[in-house]
Amino acid sequence: MTQRIAVLATASHSGEVGGAERFYVGLRDALRREGAAADIVSVVSDESSFDAILESYLRFYELDLSAFDGVISTKAPGYVVRHPNHVCYLQHTMRVFYDMFEVEFPAANDVLQDQRRRIQQLDTAALSCPRLRGRFVIGEEVRARLLRYNGLEAEILHQATTMSGYRCGAFEYLFMPGRLHRWKRVDLVVRAMRYVSAPVQLLISGTGEDEASLKALAAKDERIRFLGRVTDDELISLYANALAVPFVPLREDFGLVSIEAFHSGKPVITCEDSGEPARLVRAFDAGWVCPPEPKEIAVVIDRIAAQPRLARDAGERGRGQVGRSTWGMVATTLLTALQR
């Protein structure tokens, strides 16, 4: 009998679509290829206030998924769902109450500190529930965070990309795709361009909260271009002809940008505190890990602009390693856990 599986998705209150939505589709399709009748069940999580966050937790807790044989939760607060056959494949908890708390609230008062404790207590209780059949995470960064703040171990299960048609073309420009948000630190690379002497362009795709301030920061440098939203086909082409892909977020959970760059035979320039991208670059020897300083990043850019062969060789090493993690492996591991 075919198992009916719910992939429990946490939808943004603002309607924003990004890497998480690609993740849900990739997981659903992989489960279907393995013979499961999988569907995405999307529930909105409103993080606009603490009361709204608590209501979101309650919304997931009261969710009736009894029509499904199994449930795979993926992201806060979906893992509070009650189902007798439940596996968590964790993308991340609400980071503003975890590793990014001090970044967002450097002078947090007692109220904020109490809110942080309450969320961590709720998460720990849900993720240590005896009914949970398995606890998996997308990478070492999430595993380490879960252990540090919640005292819980988890098995790493790297996700794969949902796009296809990757190719390696010329090595012409720097390409930065993704959300324009302060945690992604696009400004580090924009500032680095002030110290880059090579006539290399920086192309930035995507939109986000910090778009206006980033454009103002880059206004005097004609080498920097903002492309806005791009289609998947355009994204594939932009990767294909990049010299390198700078990706310098702060403590990133996984960073699909790195995986997409490697599939395109392109190296990644990242930072020592960038989390999973730095681990992947080091593991694959497929790029450069710099201190999070514009001048340090500029040194690498000038070096590979002068010697593109360095970028080509590093990108080829990444492409040779990146295919080891597949959606098929993810799906079979999760289905096995559900059938225990």
Side-chain angles (χ1 to χ4, degrees):
M1 182 178 176
T2 302
Q3 274 193 308
R4 191 175 180 209
I5 306 297
V7 175
L8 188 52
T10 301
S12 169
H13 178 63
S14 64
E16 182 180 324
V17 176
E21 285 66 34
R22 289 184 183 273
F23 174 90
Y24 303 139
V25 171
L27 179 54
R28 179 201 63 192
D29 292 351
L31 291 165
R32 288 178 175 178
R33 287 192 294 271
E34 295 300 321
D39 291 297
I40 298 172
V41 177
S42 187
V43 180
V44 171
S45 177
D46 184 356
E47 299 180 21
S48 60
S49 69
F50 190 69
D51 285 342
I53 288 170
L54 293 180
E55 288 174 8
S56 295
Y57 270 79
L58 187 60
R59 190 177 303 118
F60 279 91
Y61 183 77
E62 293 181 336
L63 192 62
D64 182 5
L65 294 177
S66 58
F68 291 90
D69 301 306
V71 174
I72 300 172
S73 62
T74 57
K75 185 178 173 183
Y79 38 71
V80 303
V81 69
R82 291 174 295 169
H83 193 279
N85 195 22
H86 170 206
V87 165
C88 180
Y89 183 23
L90 184 63
Q91 291 177 288
H92 58 77
T93 50
M94 290 186 185
R95 291 184 62 195
V96 72
F97 295 111
Y98 284 85
D99 63 308
M100 301 304 284
F101 185 81
E102 287 82 6
V103 173
E104 295 297 310
F105 308 112
N109 57 26
D110 290 343
V111 172
L112 287 169
Q113 294 286 0
D114 181 63
Q115 290 175 356
R116 185 191 200 190
R117 282 191 293 270
R118 290 173 67 185
I119 292 299
Q120 290 186 16
Q121 288 168 355
L122 283 170
D123 290 348
T124 301
L127 289 167
S128 58
C129 176
R131 291 193 303 270
L132 196 65
R133 298 291 183 93
R135 191 165 50 237
F136 301 87
V137 291
I138 58 174
E140 174 60 29
E141 186 72 14
V142 181
R143 190 204 69 81
R145 194 183 304 145
L146 194 65
L147 182 61
R148 175 185 175 186
Y149 292 99
N150 307 96
L152 299 173
E153 283 284 5
E155 182 178 338
I156 295 174
L157 197 55
H158 283 145
Q159 69 177 93
T161 178
T162 58
M163 293 197 300
S164 59
Y166 293 105
R167 61 186 185 275
C168 181
F171 287 74
E172 298 177 348
Y173 46 76
L174 303 168
F175 176 49
M176 289 192 77
R179 183 180 169 194
L180 304 183
H181 183 272
R182 59 189 176 277
W183 293 0
K184 302 300 182 181
R185 300 194 301 192
V186 177
D187 64 294
L188 269 181
V189 183
V190 171
R191 295 178 193 277
M193 292 297 288
R194 298 173 182 175
Y195 305 101
V196 172
S197 58
V200 61
Q201 283 190 311
L202 170 62
L203 307 185
I204 301 171
S205 72
T207 60
E209 300 89 330
D210 290 347
E211 184 173 353
S213 62
L214 288 168
K215 286 182 175 178
L217 188 64
K220 295 181 180 180
D221 195 331
E222 295 181 354
R223 298 171 299 173
I224 302 175
R225 290 172 51 202
F226 289 83
L227 308 178
R229 290 189 182 277
V230 298
T231 65
D232 284 357
D233 287 343
E234 290 170 332
L235 185 60
I236 293 289
S237 293
L238 286 162
Y239 275 125
N241 295 305
L243 172 68
V245 176
F247 186 47
V248 296
L250 179 59
R251 297 190 287 272
E252 182 76 11
D253 301 308
F254 182 68
L256 201 55
V257 167
S258 300
I259 301 301
E260 292 169 347
F262 297 150
H263 274 293
S264 305
K266 304 300 173 174
V268 171
I269 301 170
T270 190
C271 289
E272 295 167 344
D273 59 354
S274 287
E276 208 69 10
R279 290 186 178 92
L280 290 170
V281 166
R282 287 189 174 114
F284 296 170
D285 189 20
W288 294 269
V289 181
C290 310
E293 299 292 340
K295 287 184 178 180
E296 299 285 350
I297 296 169
V299 168
V300 172
I301 293 171
D302 271 332
R303 184 183 175 203
I304 61 174
Q307 303 177 72
R309 182 71 193 181
L310 296 175
R312 187 175 293 107
D313 290 347
E316 193 59 36
R317 289 192 292 271
R319 186 158 60 171
Q321 294 286 328
V322 73
R324 293 183 300 176
S325 298
T326 67
W327 276 118
M329 180 181 67
V330 170
T332 55
T333 301
L334 296 178
L335 288 171
T336 299
L338 287 170
Q339 292 164 1
R340 287 171 186 164

